[in-house]
Amino acid sequence: MLLQVPTQKIPIQEIQINKNVKLFIKREDLIHPQISGNKYWKIFYNLNHYLESRPEKPLIITFGGAYSNHISAVSAVGNLFGIQTLGIIRGEELEKKWKDNPTLVAAKRNGMNLKFVTREEYRHKEKLTEFLQQEFPEALIIPEGGTNENAVQGIKMMLNDDTKDFDYLCTAVGTGGTIAGISEFCEENQNVIGFKVVKDTSLENRISELTSKRNYHLIDAALGGYGKINDENIRFVNDFKIKYDVTLEPVYTGKMMQKVFEMIDNNYFPAGSRILCFHTGGLQGIEGANMLLEKQNRNLIM
């Protein structure tokens, strides 16, 4: 059994904005109820190449933070395929309160074992990976966010005949794998824009190592920092849901779309441009975000 290319067509939905450009969103969030959006494609070749090697006792190990979409997706893969999974979670303080975290609760329900490490240990993931590979020589170890060369090859599947006629391809950028794949495999005449939701000085180097093309441009969309949700972001995400019946999460796609709307208002895109934004999923994170917002007596995400 391998992870399959979905038989259903991923819809591209026009976002009616009454401007001199056309805006669309590709609904990768609809690809699978638990293995959501770009995570499906990042895991696709990592998992299938691993299973084709026929490991005796398959084990998948990966890394993530408290509300990680990647941890959620890998745990779902483990549950679906009956494979043992281990999540290395940033923040040892979470060990005593993981039951208050909906992402980690769902991961445990999917059968994932959780190992909590200090933020200092987590910063040195390369060293951690070496130790884990020695301890579990047969394991598949996937980097944080799923970003590696196999992931880039998987992201190619987000592009098809339906995406060829757009002038601009837009994606949120966390660890860089998605923009690298879009950059590498898009049409020669297409411009790629990545919206950085993290303040990571190593990001540009990582992307340049994963794609041979230089057809992309990175724009800061952190809006206060990774995982930070401001009131304007909440207002935008909820307004988008009401107007277009599309749910955005506030950390990745929500910040990207908010920035795209600003750029359209500021005439960044030439008149007549066709802009395609990729909805990279991650809606599982809304529950955790709302728990934090509720504690702060702030508006919740729809």
Side-chain angles (χ1 to χ4, degrees):
M1 181 179 175
L2 299 175
L3 200 58
Q4 301 297 311
V5 176
T7 54
Q8 80 273 21
K9 192 172 185 179
I10 305 300
I12 293 177
Q13 178 176 339
E14 183 170 2
I15 304 299
Q16 300 284 351
I17 53 174
N18 297 319
K19 300 284 184 178
N20 62 357
V21 298
K22 294 277 191 179
L23 179 63
F24 301 80
I25 189 165
K26 187 163 189 272
R27 299 293 305 277
E28 296 289 340
D29 58 306
L30 301 177
I31 194 168
H32 190 277
Q34 288 184 291
I35 313 166
S36 179
N38 61 340
K39 301 305 179 192
Y40 192 98
W41 297 118
K42 283 184 168 186
I43 292 168
F44 188 84
Y45 285 117
N46 275 293
L47 177 70
N48 287 353
H49 290 340
Y50 177 62
L51 293 180
E52 285 165 356
S53 72
R54 299 187 178 277
E56 276 188 41
K57 295 181 179 178
L59 167 66
I60 304 174
I61 303 173
T62 197
F63 302 82
Y67 300 98
S68 167
N69 295 322
H70 180 62
I71 287 290
S72 177
V74 170
S75 74
V77 165
N79 186 42
L80 183 66
F81 285 83
I83 297 173
Q84 189 177 354
T85 55
L86 171 62
I88 310 300
I89 309 299
R90 181 181 64 243
E92 60 181 343
E93 75 280 357
L94 293 169
E95 187 163 10
K96 293 180 180 177
K97 51 184 181 181
W98 66 266
K99 290 182 180 178
D100 299 326
N101 180 304
T103 298
L104 299 182
V105 167
K108 286 286 282 188
R109 195 184 303 125
N110 280 331
M112 176 176 269
N113 293 314
L114 304 177
K115 179 179 174 60
F116 299 89
V117 300
T118 66
R119 281 166 166 71
E120 181 62 26
E121 288 177 294
Y122 194 88
R123 266 193 290 272
H124 299 94
K125 288 186 288 296
E126 295 80 6
K127 195 173 289 185
L128 258 177
T129 299
E130 287 177 21
F131 291 147
L132 288 164
Q133 201 73 79
Q134 289 170 9
E135 187 177 354
F136 305 102
E138 208 180 18
L140 167 64
I141 301 182
I142 304 177
E144 180 182 39
T147 289
N148 57 17
E149 290 180 2
N150 278 330
V152 171
Q153 292 295 319
I155 293 298
K156 179 181 182 180
M157 310 288 267
M158 288 168 52
L159 302 170
N160 54 32
D161 288 343
D162 294 339
T163 65
K164 287 181 177 179
D165 293 332
F166 292 94
D167 304 297
Y168 293 88
L169 303 177
C170 302
T171 183
V173 179
T175 53
T178 302
I179 188 173
I182 293 171
S183 162
E184 184 69 18
F185 298 111
C186 71
E187 301 299 303
E188 291 298 324
N189 62 316
Q190 291 180 308
N191 301 287
V192 181
I193 305 178
F195 295 83
K196 296 188 298 180
V197 300
V198 295
K199 294 186 180 296
D200 180 354
T201 54
S202 67
L203 193 54
E204 296 195 26
N205 284 339
R206 191 180 314 129
I207 295 167
S208 67
E209 289 170 0
L210 290 168
T211 174
S212 60
K213 307 281 184 64
R214 296 296 175 265
N215 54 356
Y216 58 89
H217 177 54
L218 296 177
I219 289 175
D220 182 16
L223 301 178
Y226 178 69
K228 303 292 184 187
I229 306 169
N230 63 36
D231 291 339
E232 176 58 22
N233 189 224
I234 297 168
R235 184 207 62 76
F236 177 85
V237 166
N238 286 342
D239 192 43
F240 199 89
K241 170 69 175 173
I242 293 165
K243 283 184 177 177
Y244 307 112
D245 195 26
V246 177
T247 303
L248 305 175
E249 48 71 43
V251 177
Y252 293 93
T253 311
K255 289 185 176 181
M256 172 190 69
M257 293 306 300
Q258 185 176 341
K259 201 72 179 174
V260 167
F261 269 59
E262 287 177 14
M263 292 164 67
I264 290 171
D265 286 341
N266 292 329
N267 298 313
Y268 176 93
F269 302 100
S273 296
R274 289 169 54 82
I275 306 156
L276 179 64
C277 299
F278 290 91
H279 191 321
T280 47
L283 300 182
Q284 65 85 28
I286 292 176
E287 185 180 355
N290 276 340
M291 286 174 63
L292 295 174
L293 292 170
E294 193 168 22
K295 288 178 183 176
Q296 298 165 1
N297 293 315
R298 296 168 63 196
N299 290 333
L300 302 185
I301 297 154
M302 294 171 62

